[in-house]
Amino acid sequence: TDLELINLKSPARARNILAQVAGSIAVAEAKANFEHRDLHWGNVLIQTLKDNENESNWNYDIDLEHRMLVPLDGFEVCIIDYTLSRLEMDNELFFTPLDSDSYFTQTGDYQFDIYRKMKTITKQNWAGYYPRTNVLWLDYLCHKLLELIAKSKVAQNGRRRSARFISFEEKDRDTEELEL
């Protein structure tokens, strides 16, 4: 289930989701000068684990001196869609230039602000390595996780709480919600 469709009830689960994503990105940065460049919430999948896997941990070996241990807490995160990503592997550079103006002209979601911020950071040098773009996407995911928590609290209370900084969009999808 993608992150956009889950029913997130716990700030601890949100922290765990963010830790799993950040750990994965940190390892990829260290090993391949990696940038995802399109890490919106539809590109983060959540999978519920079997009972015997619930006590497992992910060990993120970032480099020889840094390791990150994240408890799975009953689910694991999978990052998908590397179409716009940038990485270096076996002395080769792989990247996709964001040449289409559609990335930078759309409005209505924080996701589109991230594309514009990436354009500023990279100065449209899409071959260059700018790990700050990953930080922008982690900030985006923090915002979305906060929205999911607030949305869940609104549903639990049966009424809408006022929150100046959070907005919600109702989804008309024919899928099951995953509760975390």
Side-chain angles (χ1 to χ4, degrees):
T1 304
D2 72 47
L3 185 58
E4 188 175 3
L5 298 175
I6 67 169
N7 183 7
L8 187 63
K9 295 182 176 184
S10 161
R13 291 282 172 100
R15 182 184 64 231
N16 192 286
I17 289 169
L18 192 62
Q20 287 188 43
V21 171
S24 298
I25 294 296
V27 170
E29 280 182 0
K31 306 249 186 249
N33 289 340
F34 173 82
E35 295 172 69
H36 192 282
R37 296 184 175 173
D38 196 26
L39 195 51
H40 58 78
W41 62 346
N43 285 338
V44 177
L45 302 181
I46 310 294
Q47 178 179 344
T48 304
L49 298 174
K50 297 173 186 163
D51 287 339
N52 62 341
E53 298 172 317
N54 279 342
E55 301 302 319
S56 299
N57 295 306
W58 272 113
N59 290 305
Y60 297 96
D61 292 321
I62 298 166
D63 57 34
L64 293 176
E65 298 174 10
H66 300 93
R67 170 179 275 173
M68 186 174 159
L69 180 67
V70 178
L72 292 179
D73 197 24
F75 66 93
E76 66 182 342
V77 169
C78 178
I79 299 171
I80 63 168
D81 191 357
Y82 297 94
T83 306
L84 300 180
S85 296
R86 181 236 184 258
L87 67 102
E88 298 170 32
M89 188 183 319
D90 299 327
N91 295 320
E92 286 192 62
L93 173 64
F94 301 92
F95 72 98
T96 300
L98 279 75
D99 291 336
S100 173
D101 283 341
S102 67
Y103 291 109
F104 313 111
T105 58
Q106 294 183 58
T107 59
D109 190 85
Y110 187 39
Q111 171 183 350
F112 306 118
D113 295 333
I114 300 299
Y115 295 124
R116 286 186 283 280
K117 289 177 182 184
M118 285 194 322
K119 183 178 180 181
T120 300
I121 289 168
T122 64
K123 297 180 179 147
Q124 296 189 43
N125 173 16
W126 300 111
Y129 177 50
Y130 305 95
R132 187 171 173 210
T133 64
N134 287 327
V135 175
L136 293 175
W137 286 107
L138 291 173
D139 181 65
Y140 163 87
L141 289 173
C142 284
H143 282 266
K144 291 301 183 181
L145 289 165
L146 287 171
E147 285 182 9
L148 287 171
I149 291 167
K151 182 179 179 181
S152 176
K153 291 196 181 297
V154 167
Q156 287 172 7
N157 292 336
R159 65 187 193 299
R160 198 172 197 138
R161 291 184 180 176
S162 64
R164 285 179 274 177
F165 60 94
I166 297 176
S167 63
F168 303 105
E169 191 177 281
E170 294 301 319
K171 303 286 181 232
D172 284 335
R173 297 209 180 173
D174 209 11
T175 58
E176 289 184 31
E177 280 192 350
L178 176 66
E179 288 195 13
L180 292 178

